[in-house]
């Protein structure tokens, strides 16, 4: 009786394949046997699509506040521009089966994806699912390029990155892909998605070079919003369940069992990765639980299970997750030691984590009856299940092939884009922040065409006058908020920090006038800026030289006679003598009617010892 009931249930949920589906029967992991399978695939793709929000929140929370909106826009660019090229040719080069052109290296056919009424359901389901994978591979790269990349260049790159992704996707998942025929195991995209995205990010960050002043301090720039970063981690965690469980490509037959096993392996691996992240932070950071270690531990472990998600046992997932978290956090610290600037940690999480994922499949893979549902007829037992080194060798070959392919194409594409439009933002725009430069967000106004800041002193005075009854401490808070959104470019009584002086120094080195006299004048200007650094009292009513004006003056030194600017700064600062800086401060404040100085915090008082200024935490710019 039980056997008859099981047959009835099977007949109820399984339909006969259409002729077109039978023709695609050899396509790995893409056979759709029922409406339930199509629903499962589409639902999983919807969940995977929400990972774009997770990446956006994680990256915007990790970068400094002056770039948080820009990094969210870049995540939208990945879908808009990358999705276009995947529709045009990416899907065809990955899964096209038009003979005789399809070969083990690439697919051919299905360009500008369309389908007949009979084929429409499974073709569009598969396309949408794979498109979500392709855009994720590009999104990974945006974290490594954050805070210093031109948006125009990134748009072009998002379109080109489809070519880097689609060929490894064919090797691993195509019906005649050469790695698939060898028996390589990668169920949910450790190679085509995570390795391709992470390695491309590594190439990009090396070519871009570090953010300004990144490694002049032992501590990285402050996170723009740790809360957003953690929220982004949760959304990615949720998306990974769709990522891994959806890669069973259905729930008909016994595939629902594989989906359940994927869910358990995904949650157990992240548990182990999170625990290892907390433990590492506790040991390395003197009993502090660093948010970055937790995030990278969880995400690194999730990448680690991607290749074997539907085949791993829970105890195996825990081992894979713990080792993955350790490797990912260690690799991120190593990159910092090597002064490779990866703002979000995507290289360690995705490139190194993806490599570990593929290799771990060679250690823990096991041929069982469920593997046939994934069309893995060539799979062998891994090293830890008595299969020897055969499967591990195939997985290592996949790691090597994908690495070489990605490095070569990423270098070519990025070099060409850099030659045509330039990839890195000019230093001044980097210091101001991409939110203002690219999107006009914030109180500071920037003329992108002429690369010139517009002074905002009048706006700031109006902002302060609008709250005449507020206390001085509240005025200070308001001005600090203006500085936070405006990248710290306060229009009045602004402190020239060591970081800013270094920024101007580098700016001058890139924009030196050609004449010897011009160089002398500009260098003299820089010396005056270095010498005159007054105490951090907020004087919103004063009409002093601002950082906005200073940046513009330095830029104009290349176009006009610099002596005017030197005289102007000299008259504003009353820098008559190099003695007794504090006396100059008093004269400066008296001249500008700063009748009531805002009380300084302990940090400010320490910073102004002997009349000098160091990089303090209160109103310092995020540069």
């Amino acid at each position: 009786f039980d056997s008859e009931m099981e047959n009835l249930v099977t007949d109820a949920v399984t339909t006969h394949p259409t002729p077109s589906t039978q023709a695609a029967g050899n396509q790995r992991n893409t056979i759709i046997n029922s409406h339930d399978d199509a629903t499962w695939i589409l639902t999983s793709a919807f969940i995977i699509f929400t990972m774009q929000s997770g990446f956006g929140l994680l990256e915007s929370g990790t970068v400094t506040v002056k770039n948080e909106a820009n990094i969210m826009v870049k995540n939208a660019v990945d879908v808009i521009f990358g999705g276009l090229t995947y529709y045009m040719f990416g899907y065809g080069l990955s899964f096209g089966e038009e003979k005789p052109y399809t070969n083990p290296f690439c697919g051919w056919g299905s360009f500008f994806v369309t389908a007949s009424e009979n084929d429409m359901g499974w073709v569009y389901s598969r396309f949408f699912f794979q498109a979500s994978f392709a855009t994720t591979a590009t999104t990974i790269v945006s974290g490594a390029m954050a805070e210093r990349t031109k948006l125009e260049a990134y748009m072009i790159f998002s379109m080109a990155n489809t070519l880097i992704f689609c060929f490894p996707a064919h090797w691993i998942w195509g019906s005649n892909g050469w790695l698939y025929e060898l028996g390589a195991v990668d169920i949910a995209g450790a190679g085509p998605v995570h390795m391709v995205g992470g390695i491309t990010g590594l190439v990009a960050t090396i070519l871009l070079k570090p953010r300004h002043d990144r490694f002049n301090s032992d501590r990285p720039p402050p996170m723009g919003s740790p809360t957003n970063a953690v929220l982004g981690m949760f959304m990615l965690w949720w998306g990974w369940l769709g990522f891994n469980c959806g890669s069973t490509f259905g729930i008909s037959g016994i595939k629902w069992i594989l989906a359940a096993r994927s869910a358990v392996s995904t949650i157990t691996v992240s548990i182990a990765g999170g625990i290892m992240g907390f433990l590492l932070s506790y040991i390395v950071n003197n009993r502090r639980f660093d948010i970055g270690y937790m995030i990278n531990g969880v995400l690194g472990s999730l990448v680690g299970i991607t290749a074997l998600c539907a085949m791993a046992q829970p105890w195996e997932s825990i081992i894979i997750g713990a080792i993955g978290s350790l490797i990912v956090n260690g690799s991120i610290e190593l990159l910092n030691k090597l002064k490779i600037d990866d703002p979000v940690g995507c290289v360690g999480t995705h490139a190194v984590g993806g490599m570990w994922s593929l290799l771990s499949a060679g250690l823990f893979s096991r041929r069982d009856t469920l593997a046939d549902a994934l069309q893995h007829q060539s799979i062998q037992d891994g090293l830890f299940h008595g299969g020897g080194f055969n499967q591990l060798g195939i997985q290592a070959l996949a790691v090597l092939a994908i690495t070489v392919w990605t490095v070569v194409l990423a270098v070519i594409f990025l070099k060409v884009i850099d030659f045509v439009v330039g990839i890195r933002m000019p230093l001044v725009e980097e210091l101001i922040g991409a939110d203002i430069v690219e999107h006009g967000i914030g109180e500071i106004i920037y003329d992108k065409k002429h690369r010139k800041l517009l002074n905002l002193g009048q706006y700031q005075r109006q902002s302060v006058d609008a709250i005449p009854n507020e206390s001085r401490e509240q005025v200070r808070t308001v001005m600090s908020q203006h500085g936070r959104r405006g990248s710290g470019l306060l229009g009045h009584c602004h402190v020239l920090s060591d970081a800013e002086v270094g920024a101007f120094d580098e700016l001058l080195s890139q924009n030196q006038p050609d004449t010897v006299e011009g160089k002398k004048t500009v260098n003299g200007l820089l010396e005056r800026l270095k010498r005159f650094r007054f105490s951090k009292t907020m004087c919103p009513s004063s009409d002093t030289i601002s950082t906005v004006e200073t940046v513009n003056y330095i830029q104009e030194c290349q176009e006009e006679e610099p002596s005017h600017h030197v005289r102007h700064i000299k008259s504003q600062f009353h820098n008559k003598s190099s003695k007794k800086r504090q006396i100059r401060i008093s004269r400066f404040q008296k001249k500008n009617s700063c009748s009531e100085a805002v009380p300084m915090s302990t940090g400010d008082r320490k910073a102004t010892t002997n009349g000098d200024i160091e990089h303090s935490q209160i109103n310092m710019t995020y540069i």
Side-chain angles (χ1 to χ4, degrees):
F1 176 77
D2 292 341
S3 177
E4 291 178 358
M5 286 298 296
E6 183 178 352
N7 290 335
L8 288 173
V9 172
T10 302
D11 291 340
V13 300
T14 305
T15 61
H16 295 290
T18 64
S20 58
T21 309
Q22 289 176 336
N26 292 327
Q27 179 67 49
R28 176 209 179 277
N29 216 12
T30 56
I31 300 177
I32 300 176
N33 293 320
S34 73
H35 299 300
D36 291 338
D37 283 352
T39 302
W40 180 255
I41 294 166
L42 288 173
T43 304
S44 299
F46 297 154
I47 295 173
I48 295 170
F49 192 79
T50 64
M51 294 179 76
Q52 295 291 338
S53 303
F55 278 114
L57 285 170
L58 173 63
E59 292 171 7
S60 67
T62 305
V63 301
T64 53
V65 292
K66 62 184 180 181
N67 295 295
E68 59 186 0
N70 178 257
I71 202 70
M72 292 291 283
V73 170
K74 286 177 179 175
N75 279 267
V77 165
D78 297 328
V79 178
I80 295 169
F81 290 89
L84 175 63
T85 51
Y86 191 75
Y87 161 74
M88 290 168 61
F89 55 81
Y91 180 79
L93 292 174
S94 298
F95 301 105
E97 295 189 336
E98 184 179 317
K99 296 181 179 180
Y101 305 107
T102 297
N103 57 74
F105 183 75
C106 71
W108 192 265
S110 299
F111 301 118
F112 296 91
V113 180
T114 188
S116 64
E117 291 184 5
N118 291 334
D119 301 336
M120 190 175 296
W122 71 271
V123 169
Y124 287 170
S125 298
R126 185 173 61 172
F127 164 74
F128 183 59
F129 185 82
Q130 298 296 346
S132 65
F133 275 47
T135 54
T136 299
T138 305
T139 296
I140 292 169
V141 188
S142 64
M145 302 174 73
E147 303 204 84
R148 59 208 193 276
T149 306
K150 292 180 179 178
L151 186 57
E152 301 93 331
Y154 188 79
M155 289 175 177
I156 299 172
F157 165 78
S158 295
M159 302 178 73
N161 194 57
T162 299
L163 282 171
I164 305 179
F165 164 82
C166 61
F167 286 88
H170 178 78
W171 302 346
I172 294 285
W173 295 322
S175 59
N176 62 340
W178 67 276
L179 285 174
Y180 168 66
E181 291 183 338
L182 285 176
V185 178
D186 187 2
I187 295 171
V193 178
H194 297 288
M195 275 190 62
V196 166
I199 294 172
T200 304
L202 176 62
V203 173
T205 192
I206 290 174
L207 293 178
L208 280 167
K209 299 179 181 177
R211 290 165 289 174
H212 175 77
D213 237 12
R214 167 62 182 88
F215 294 108
N216 289 345
S217 171
D218 293 335
R219 300 189 64 184
M223 297 176 71
S225 174
T227 303
N228 280 358
V230 175
L231 180 59
M233 180 201 72
F234 276 116
M235 294 193 69
L236 290 172
W237 206 343
W238 151 257
W240 236 289
L241 291 169
F243 208 89
N244 289 351
C245 298
S247 294
T248 62
F249 237 81
I251 52 175
S252 64
I254 62 173
K255 286 190 281 189
W256 71 272
I257 303 175
L258 290 169
R261 189 156 73 176
S262 292
V264 173
S265 66
T266 301
I267 199 66
T268 52
V269 79
S270 56
I271 291 170
I275 292 173
M276 181 59 73
F278 278 125
L279 182 61
L280 284 173
S281 178
Y282 191 78
I283 296 172
V284 174
N285 296 314
N286 298 321
R287 301 187 178 183
R288 282 190 298 107
F289 296 107
D290 187 88
I291 290 177
Y293 275 78
M294 177 195 70
I295 292 175
N296 294 325
V298 171
L299 298 183
S301 64
L302 288 168
V303 174
I305 199 61
T306 303
L308 201 65
C309 57
M311 302 175 69
Q313 297 295 333
W315 68 269
E316 294 171 331
S317 300
I318 291 174
I319 295 174
I320 292 172
I323 296 175
S325 177
L326 179 64
I327 293 174
V328 165
N329 278 298
S331 63
I332 290 173
E333 291 300 324
L334 177 62
L335 289 174
N336 288 333
K337 294 291 184 184
L338 296 175
K339 295 188 176 182
I340 296 175
D341 186 15
D342 179 13
V344 184
C346 80
V347 176
T349 302
H350 298 279
V352 178
M355 292 177 185
W356 162 241
S357 184
L358 285 174
L359 294 176
S360 67
L363 300 174
F364 294 100
S365 63
R366 187 179 67 258
R367 181 66 184 269
D368 58 17
T369 56
L370 297 176
D372 292 335
L374 295 171
Q375 287 76 57
H376 262 303
Q377 288 81 9
S378 302
I379 191 174
Q380 304 176 49
D381 288 337
L383 180 63
F384 293 164
H385 290 287
F389 288 91
N390 289 342
Q391 189 65 45
L392 183 60
I394 293 171
Q395 299 298 117
L397 177 62
V399 169
L400 179 62
I402 294 173
T403 300
V404 173
W405 168 265
T406 305
V407 169
V408 171
L409 261 71
V411 169
I412 293 173
F413 288 158
L414 290 169
K415 283 288 188 181
V416 170
I417 295 171
D418 189 36
F419 178 78
V420 175
V421 298
I423 293 181
R424 178 145 186 165
M425 301 171 69
L427 177 62
V428 172
E429 294 183 0
E430 182 184 342
L431 297 177
I432 296 168
D435 285 5
I436 293 171
V437 171
E438 301 283 11
H439 311 294
I441 298 174
E443 290 82 8
I444 300 296
I445 302 172
Y446 181 76
D447 183 349
K448 187 176 178 182
K449 182 177 180 180
H450 299 98
R451 294 185 180 177
K452 194 177 184 66
L453 276 168
L454 305 180
N455 196 348
L456 210 60
Q458 183 178 0
Y459 176 86
Q460 290 184 342
R461 283 196 295 275
Q462 291 173 351
S463 299
V464 175
D465 293 340
I467 48 170
N469 297 325
E470 299 285 352
S471 67
R472 277 286 180 179
E473 191 61 34
Q474 289 172 315
V475 171
R476 180 191 184 118
T477 302
V478 171
M479 294 299 290
S480 298
Q481 289 172 350
H482 286 325
R484 188 172 186 268
R485 170 53 62 191
S487 310
L489 297 174
L490 300 178
H492 305 283
C493 292
H494 183 68
V495 179
L496 283 173
S497 71
D498 290 338
E500 288 172 306
V501 171
F504 298 150
D505 201 358
E506 185 172 340
L507 183 64
L508 286 170
S509 68
Q510 297 179 3
N511 296 279
Q512 287 281 8
D514 295 331
T515 64
V516 176
E517 189 62 30
K519 289 183 180 180
K520 269 188 200 177
T521 310
V522 172
N523 288 331
L525 167 63
L526 180 62
E527 285 304 314
R528 293 182 186 281
L529 292 176
K530 285 181 178 178
R531 287 204 304 269
F532 192 89
R533 298 187 299 183
F534 43 87
S535 63
K536 269 192 175 176
T537 52
M538 298 302 300
C539 304
S541 63
S542 64
D543 188 21
T544 65
I545 192 74
S546 68
T547 306
V548 174
E549 293 170 317
T550 306
V551 172
N552 286 336
Y553 286 152
I554 292 174
Q555 288 184 295
E556 289 170 0
C557 282
Q558 194 172 12
E559 303 171 1
E560 301 178 16
E561 176 57 41
S563 59
H564 161 74
H565 307 304
V566 175
R567 286 198 303 272
H568 184 72
I569 291 176
K570 183 175 180 179
S571 64
Q572 289 284 348
F573 287 170
H574 277 254
N575 187 15
K576 297 180 180 179
S577 171
S578 61
K579 300 176 182 179
K580 300 292 183 184
R581 288 175 178 155
Q582 197 62 44
I583 295 176
R584 294 202 308 276
I585 294 167
S586 299
R587 290 177 178 173
F588 180 83
Q589 291 179 338
K590 183 177 180 180
K591 172 183 178 293
N592 290 283
S593 302
C594 293
S595 57
E596 183 180 0
V598 178
M600 291 186 292
S601 67
T602 304
D604 285 329
R605 285 195 294 270
K606 289 180 180 178
T608 56
T609 303
N610 297 325
D612 205 351
I613 291 293
E614 297 299 334
H615 199 166
S616 126
Q617 297 177 350
I618 304 300
N619 288 317
M620 242 26 279
T621 62
Y622 293 96
I623 57 177

